[in-house]
Amino acid sequence: RTELSGDAVMLDIIRYAHYMGKDISEDYYGLTVISKTEEPKWVSLGSAEGIDYLLAKADPLNKVKDEDYEKVLRDLYDKLMAPIVKELPKDIKTLIISPDGPLNFLSFAALLTPENKFLCEDYTLKYVSSGRDLVPRKQIEQSGDDLLVFANPAYDEAPVLLASDGGFGVALRSLDRDDLRGSLKFGALPGTQKEADYLEVKAGDWKLKPEVYGGSAATELAISAVDSPRILHIATHGFFLPEEKKGSEPQNKRVLLNPMHRSGLALAGAQKTLEAWDKGETPPTENDGILTAAEASVLDLEGTWLVVLSACETGRGEARSGEGVLGLRRAFIQAGAENLLMTLWPVSDKYTIPLMKEFYDNAIASGDAPSALVEVQRQRLLKMRQAVGTRLAVQLYGPFIMNFQRVE
């Protein structure tokens, strides 16, 4: 509690088995409201079934009429936020949210209040994986000023080896490779080169030293050699393969069991690797172009102020109640990143690039990356809502979220 400012509360949400009597229980959501000035308060949000139903309908990729989509966002506000707002101390401006279960994949910023405003218009919203992230970690001495950028990888080309042979590798079992091989295909992303070009040009203004890896140089081996850069920006395809539900007909012959292998990033040579697996060949794991979450978790990012995953669905993964999200989200936080920007659903190059430019300018000027994202997202959601409607505004600018860890 002492780590919270006076105008902030933490909302520590859990999904739990609520005892209904006679040895019957039902999944519920609830949370503890933690503030600096008042005793913690427990707030029950009720049955998870109705909330989960609304979460599925809140996907902005569902092509529905705006009025129908807005009703879902209002209903979610009524179930999730209305009970909380009643319990907030006065003058609260910041909500630090620690979600649980499927709520990890909700853009709280897009919920609609009874006044027909986005929730992010009333509050600054920040995310943590758990309350532990608010306990300051010891600041790692940060002497570097490196801005490392990986963008527009050449998925169909053999990668150029640009790092030492002392890289890492987490070997996938043959059954893991079979699932990835049958489920993924990586197309070129030339738009990500514009992000890289902008960051390289602006780095001097930010007193940072840029190093850009693109095309066949954007390799897994090069990423394995990073040494606590100030900023690591990765613009590429992200992937997450959901686990097959028990009792369902599997889409693949085998099921990829480890969630840290079912999510990752595609780098140079990734498509070549998938083709090699089809032929029964196994390229060197440390540079096969498939950076799984398991491999990302052992990167050296202690002291790294910001990691930006400018890719599709990098915030997804497997949400396990009480454990957070197993995937890239956990991997990069575990590797040491203080601030991690990711996306919850596919993003558009055309609209992401200007958001990234504005975010970087604000974040570096203020030194507060989470607040910078909140402000840019708020402005763009409002502007786009006026231009194209609510659902499309949420689709374009709702997926960006940032997890942070507090350091001394």
Side-chain angles (χ1 to χ4, degrees):
R1 292 173 58 188
T2 58
E3 308 306 332
L4 290 167
S5 63
D7 69 346
V9 297
M10 179 182 171
L11 307 180
D12 192 2
I13 304 172
I14 63 169
R15 182 186 176 105
Y16 66 100
H18 182 78
Y19 182 65
M20 308 294 289
K22 298 183 179 179
D23 296 325
I24 299 173
S25 62
E26 182 180 346
D27 280 356
Y28 265 49
Y29 284 109
L31 74 148
T32 305
V33 179
I34 304 171
S35 69
K36 189 179 183 72
T37 58
E38 298 184 4
E39 289 299 311
K41 297 178 182 177
W42 170 257
V43 179
S44 175
L45 301 177
S47 173
E49 183 178 3
I51 293 173
D52 290 348
Y53 172 76
L54 289 172
L55 289 176
K57 296 185 70 175
D59 184 346
L61 301 182
N62 297 332
K63 294 183 179 180
V64 297
K65 294 180 180 179
D66 239 33
E67 54 264 35
D68 295 331
Y69 187 67
E70 289 178 343
K71 183 178 186 307
V72 173
L73 297 182
R74 291 191 185 94
D75 289 346
L76 272 173
Y77 177 92
D78 289 343
K79 286 186 174 294
L80 293 174
M81 296 307 306
I84 296 171
V85 170
K86 295 176 183 178
E87 301 297 334
L88 293 180
K90 293 182 179 179
D91 302 321
I92 291 299
K93 299 177 181 178
T94 300
L95 306 180
I96 300 173
I97 303 172
S98 175
D100 196 19
L103 290 177
N104 279 283
F105 309 125
L106 172 67
S107 179
F108 281 81
L111 299 184
L112 288 178
T113 71
E115 292 75 29
N116 198 33
K117 297 192 298 182
F118 287 124
L119 182 61
C120 64
E121 295 180 65
D122 288 344
Y123 299 99
T124 294
L125 305 175
K126 300 182 180 182
Y127 297 88
V128 292
S129 296
S130 74
R132 293 188 301 273
D133 291 341
L134 291 180
V135 179
R137 298 183 300 115
K138 184 176 181 181
Q139 175 71 60
I140 304 297
E141 191 66 29
Q142 177 55 260
S143 58
D145 52 6
D146 295 321
L147 167 57
L148 301 187
V149 182
F150 291 78
N152 194 24
Y155 305 116
D156 290 314
E157 295 181 20
V160 175
L161 305 186
L162 289 181
S164 69
D165 291 334
F168 63 88
V170 178
L172 295 181
R173 298 168 298 167
S174 60
L175 66 87
D176 292 348
R177 293 197 300 271
D178 283 348
D179 270 337
L180 290 176
R181 178 178 65 198
S183 305
L184 301 176
K185 184 173 179 58
F186 304 116
L189 291 174
T192 62
Q193 189 62 48
K194 296 179 182 179
E195 289 182 40
D197 293 342
Y198 177 79
L199 294 174
E200 187 172 24
V201 169
K202 289 287 291 184
D205 295 342
W206 299 330
K207 296 181 173 54
L208 295 173
K209 295 187 299 186
E211 194 169 349
V212 178
Y213 298 87
S216 57
T219 68
E220 181 182 0
L221 200 56
I223 282 188
S224 75
V226 301
D227 182 14
S228 298
R230 175 72 173 163
I231 298 174
L232 175 62
H233 183 102
I234 307 175
T236 184
H237 285 292
F239 65 85
F240 169 67
L241 303 178
E243 185 178 19
E244 302 290 350
K245 293 183 179 179
K246 294 180 180 179
S248 65
E249 184 68 25
Q251 296 178 1
N252 300 304
K253 292 182 180 179
R254 293 169 175 158
V255 177
L256 196 59
L257 298 177
N258 188 339
M260 299 298 279
H261 287 169
R262 282 190 268 116
S263 58
L265 298 169
L267 295 160
Q271 196 62 42
K272 282 283 186 183
T273 290
L274 298 182
E275 293 169 3
W277 288 348
D278 277 334
K279 300 174 184 176
E281 301 169 359
T282 305
T285 304
E286 67 273 10
N287 203 43
D288 61 10
I290 306 290
L291 181 74
T292 66
E295 292 170 317
S297 69
V298 295
L299 292 172
D300 185 2
L301 299 177
E302 288 295 334
T304 295
W305 174 62
L306 175 65
V307 172
V308 174
L309 302 182
S310 183
C312 294
E313 301 183 281
T314 48
R316 299 202 69 81
E318 182 172 308
R320 293 182 176 175
S321 295
E323 295 186 43
V325 180
L326 300 181
L328 289 169
R329 194 183 300 197
R330 170 168 291 189
F332 279 92
I333 292 293
Q334 184 175 315
E338 294 175 15
N339 298 290
L340 173 63
L341 193 160
M342 22 187 195
T343 59
L344 295 175
W345 53 79
V347 295
S348 159
D349 273 356
K350 177 181 177 181
Y351 295 97
T352 297
I353 292 169
L355 177 140
M356 285 293 174
K357 290 179 178 179
E358 193 172 348
F359 161 71
Y360 266 103
D361 285 335
N362 291 359
I364 292 174
S366 67
D368 186 345
S371 293
L373 178 64
V374 167
E375 184 58 31
V376 171
Q377 185 178 46
R378 177 191 295 129
Q379 292 175 3
R380 291 196 167 270
L381 277 170
L382 291 174
K383 184 177 179 179
M384 193 57 66
R385 188 184 187 191
Q386 291 180 341
V388 299
T390 302
R391 186 185 66 81
L392 278 176
V394 174
Q395 179 179 333
L396 294 172
Y397 290 119
F400 300 94
I401 63 170
M402 182 176 293
N403 266 56
F404 76 97
Q405 302 182 78
R406 194 181 297 278
V407 296
E408 293 180 333

